[in-house]
Structures are given as structure tokens and as C-alpha cells.
Amino acid sequence: MNLDRNTTAVLALHWINDIVSEGGAFGGRFAGEVARTGTAGHARRVLTAARQTGVPVFYTRIVYQPGYPGLIVNAPLFEGIRPAGAFLAGGGGVEILPELAPEEGDTVLDTGRVSAFTGTGLHEVLRGQGIETVVLTGVSTHITVQSSALAAVDLGYRVVIASDATSADSAATHEHALRALAVLCDVATSSEIVDALLDSPAGTAHEVRTP
């Protein structure tokens, strides 16, 4: 596959303790698959290659203020958030997995919804940097990754899903989501993505452009 490092960004979606760590509010649902498949390790390789090649990295987190003033319970997924005390600002649950911790130059965006593009200003930032392709890593494949991917496609981006740097609550769910996404997105392994980034010719640094 081909990636232009000058017009590509990597998204690290919802790598927070409440979702991907044992003991997290929703860790019982997702942490097992993250551990079994080594998803975080694959994601780390992609993030490292992005930084090495000057490709911007954007993290998203689900974060709510105490009392959950921004929580909209319009779907079953959101019904369990308040009872679990999940995703509270300032708490350990919204901290990013240590092995994937943001580094200098990375951007962390907070949202109270599923898609990385809802309420974060991500689209405006990406367009301002001339980004045309987004590479997605994160959890869960059938929720946040899928929602973000579809939003990105509708906004005009080329979307690449890192198949082994994403995971769901089961292998079957993950594979089903990837098959569905393959209609609109490129699906590639972390190794293929890393190779494509490293093989991409170096160009000018990302410049802020007026949308």
C-alpha cells in the first residue's frame, strides 16, 4: 500500500484505562481481547513510525465532568456510563494506556461521544494541516473505530484501518466489523502501514493551511 507522509495522520482512538485495562469500567468487555491479540503493541509500532516520519498523531478520549452534564443517554451503550462512574475527568479511568502515552507534539482531544469527529474539532485541525488520509488504531473496532471511519469517509478522507492495532469484544466481532469497513476503507496490518510510512518520500513539514 502507499501512504503519503505529508498528507497522512494517525488516530489513536480511546486507548484509555476505562476501556482497555483490566479493572477499567468497561475493561471487562474489551481488555481481554486487547491483551490476547497484542493490539496495543501493534498500535505502538504505528505510532512510533508516524512520529519518526513526521506524521501527526491525534488521540481521542471519552471524558465527562463530574455529574455528567454532557452525557446524552440515547443508546444502550451510554446507559451504563453513569452507574459505572466511568470516564470522569481527572480520574485514572481516562488516562491513556502507559505504553501508548502521548509524546511531545501529539494532540489529545476529548469527547463525550463515540466518533472521534464529534465535538472535538478534529476535522478542522486535519484540514488545516492538509491531511487527506487518516490511519485508525484503537478500541473498539465495531464502535469507536467504525463510527470514526464512517464519519471520516463522509468528510472526504481516505481511511486506513490498522487491522491488528484495533480490537473489539471478541475476535468474531472484530472480523465482522473489518469486513464491513472494507467496503469503504483500506484495511492493512500494522506492518504494512509502518512500511508504507517509512517508504514514503520525505517532504515539507506539515503546514497549517486556511480551510
Side-chain angles (χ1 to χ4, degrees), residues 20-59:
V20 298
S21 297
E22 289 290 351
F26 293 92
R29 181 173 181 180
F30 300 111
E33 276 298 291
V34 171
R36 185 187 70 80
T37 60
T39 310
H42 295 304
R44 185 173 63 249
R45 293 186 62 231
V46 174
L47 297 177
T48 298
R51 296 178 184 119
Q52 289 175 345
T53 55
V55 169
V57 174
F58 294 86
Y59 288 80

Side-chain angles (χ1 to χ4, degrees), residues 171-187:
T173 301
H174 174 66
E175 293 299 329
H176 184 272
L178 290 181
R179 285 196 298 272
L181 287 167
V183 176
L184 294 171
C185 309
D186 293 326
V187 178

Side-chain angles (χ1 to χ4, degrees), residues 117 123 127 148-157:
F117 290 90
H123 174 52
R127 280 295 184 243
S148 300
L150 297 180
V153 169
D154 274 349
L155 289 167
Y157 297 95

